[in-house]
Every structure is written in structure tokens, then in C-alpha cells.
Amino acid sequence: YYVDALMRLRKNRSAMVCLFVIVVFIIVAFTAQWISPYDPYEIDLKNMLEGPSAEHWMGTDEYGRDIFSRILYGTRISLSVGLVSQIISTVLGVVLGSIAGYYGGKIDMLISRLMEVFSAFPDILFAIGIMFVLGQGILNIFIALGILGWVSTARLVRSQVLQLKETEYIAAAKSAGATSFWLITRHMIPNCVSTIIILITMGIPGAIMSEASLSFLGLGVSPPTASWGSMINTARIYILSDPTYSIFPGIAIIILVLAFNIFGD
């Protein structure tokens, strides 16, 4: 099954192009300190708000910092938020979804009501509320977005577990003395892996956009940490005098989010 899926993936040109783009961004995130032409935090007041040039390919910001270097370092924030928040939300969703689907009854009702509560509010508003309580910081963003992203995973895992627990091989395993923990971890969750992988792939761009939105609102990472969203937020003041300041980090967000979305599809 997996070999066939990989073969079909290799024949999909758009998916392979997007995978290449994602790999490039990952390489940039790991090698930013070596490939950046300037220190992204070095202030140079003599070169404030310069346009693109041979020295500064994407210009400089209000402190004379190289925008290209800050975009390279901002890749780390976006990818780490996307990956870590999805790991947290996936773990929560798989655990709660499998428990609700397997045990049913009052446990299922309690977890289902909890999912309804989290689904009742737009994710970004919920994230804003959590960040107001926790404060700025990359760790708090991980927690906020991780907590908010588990509902869709839990719902799909719950529905699949409800179907799987009625199958004959699960009944045979029960009659052989298999414990509930064994059935969930060795039989049910592995059968949900393909769905979980798709949810992670589709959830990463959403987390990246949420981080950019929070940083744009001043609730994301603390300055002077390089973040695409905070760069766009700061650039609003100079949108007429220096439009390239906000355009380049915006393009970076668009490319990365589109790559993940198309690859996930």
C-alpha cells in the first residue's frame, strides 16, 4: 500500500515540486546562520529602510537590519511552529479520539462535548485569548496552537475507532485476552496512520498562518526575534514609502503555505 502510494506521489509533478520547495525551506531553516549574508539582529542606522540593492537584496528595515537575512531566520519560527504545534495537537487528538471511540458511553459523551466547546469559537480568537493569558513567546505559541488543533484529529480518529472495534479481528484479539491498551495502540491507532499523516500535512500551513497572524497582532514571538508575521506588522507603517518591506515576508508565507497545502492534497 505504502509503496503504491509513494509511486503515485512520484508521478504527481505538482506534489514533487511542492515537496522540493518544502525541503528547501527546511534546509534554509537549519543552515540560516551560515547562508545569511548579514546578522539579522545587527542594527545599522545609517542604512535604514533602504530598497533592494546589490548589498541588501531585499532592502533593510527601520533599524537597518537586512530583510533577506531576517526572512531566512524567520523560516525557523514558521516551520518549528507548524511542526511542534501539530505534534502536540496530533498526540492530544489521537489519545482523546481513540479513548472516546473505544470506550464510548459517558467518556465518549464527555470528550465529544469538549470537542464541541473548542469548535464553538474561531481558532484565531481562541489563540488570541490564550496568548493574552500566557503572554508572548515561542513556547506559548506552541502550546496555544497545539491545544487548538486537536479537535479535527480526535473526530476522525474517533470515527475510525468506532468502525474498527466492531471488526472480527478485534473481537478475535479480545477473545485471546488482549488488553484495551494493546488493542488501541497495536491495532486501532496504526490503522489510522494514513489519515493522521494527511491531517498533519494539512494542519502545518494552518499553524504557520496562525503564528503569522498572532505575530502580526503583536501576540507572537517577542521582538527582536525574526518572524514573518511581526515583520509584516512593523512594515505597515512604511507601506507607502517602502512597500517591499512587507511584500517579501508575505511572499515567503504564501510560498510555504501553498507548498504544504498542495502537497497535502
Side-chain angles (χ1 to χ4, degrees):
Y1 172 78
Y2 293 108
V3 174
D4 181 59
L6 288 173
M7 290 297 294
R8 286 187 284 111
L9 180 63
R10 290 180 61 183
K11 294 179 181 178
N12 189 323
R13 293 184 178 180
S14 60
M16 295 307 296
V17 170
C18 291
L19 178 60
F20 173 77
V21 172
I22 293 169
V23 170
V24 169
F25 272 100
I26 292 173
I27 293 173
V28 167
F30 278 103
T31 61
Q33 67 268 32
W34 295 297
I35 64 176
S36 296
Y38 297 94
D39 183 343
Y41 305 111
E42 182 180 355
I43 296 176
D44 183 8
L45 299 180
K46 295 180 180 179
N47 295 309
M48 298 186 329
L49 296 173
E50 286 191 349
S53 63
E55 292 184 355
H56 301 282
W57 298 344
M58 295 183 180
T60 59
D61 65 6
E62 72 278 12
Y63 294 109
R65 298 173 297 194
D66 184 63
I67 293 177
F68 178 64
S69 299
R70 289 182 63 78
I71 287 177
L72 294 181
Y73 272 75
T75 307
R76 293 178 170 180
I77 298 295
S78 295
L79 284 177
S80 62
V81 167
L83 293 172
V84 175
S85 65
Q86 283 306 297
I87 290 172
I88 295 173
S89 61
T90 298
V91 171
L92 287 173
V94 169
V95 171
L96 294 176
S98 57
I99 290 174
Y102 182 81
Y103 289 103
K106 293 182 179 180
I107 295 177
D108 183 21
M109 183 180 67
L110 178 63
I111 295 176
S112 296
R113 297 296 83 76
L114 185 62
M115 287 190 285
E116 290 176 1
V117 170
F118 274 82
S119 301
F121 302 94
D123 286 350
I124 189 63
L125 292 181
F126 225 141
I128 290 172
I130 294 174
M131 291 304 295
F132 264 121
V133 174
L134 298 179
Q136 286 183 303
I138 188 68
L139 181 60
N140 292 339
I141 292 178
F142 292 158
I143 295 172
L145 298 183
I147 291 174
L148 294 177
W150 67 273
V151 175
S152 58
T153 303
R155 281 177 172 165
L156 286 174
V157 170
R158 173 184 173 274
S159 64
Q160 290 197 331
V161 169
L162 284 172
Q163 297 175 7
L164 290 170
K165 73 176 184 178
E166 303 298 332
T167 57
E168 294 181 356
Y169 77 93
I170 293 295
K174 285 182 180 179
S175 63
T179 62
S180 298
F181 180 79
W182 177 273
L183 291 172
I184 293 173
T185 57
R186 295 302 180 93
H187 293 290
M188 296 184 180
I189 292 178
N191 278 285
C192 302
V193 167
S194 59
T195 302
I196 293 170
I197 291 174
I198 295 171
L199 288 173
I200 291 174
T201 309
M202 299 298 291
I204 288 175
I208 291 172
M209 287 296 297
S210 295
E211 182 277 325
S213 300
L214 290 171
S215 295
F216 179 80
L217 296 171
L219 296 170
V221 296
S222 304
T225 304
S227 166
W228 297 342
S230 61
M231 291 174 69
I232 296 175
N233 179 34
T234 306
R236 286 184 304 125
I237 306 172
Y238 312 101
I239 191 68
L240 295 178
S241 60
D242 188 10
T244 57
Y245 185 0
S246 59
I247 288 174
F248 288 122
I251 290 174
I253 293 174
I254 291 171
I255 292 173
L256 185 57
V257 169
L258 278 178
F260 270 111
N261 273 323
I262 296 173
F263 181 71
D265 286 338

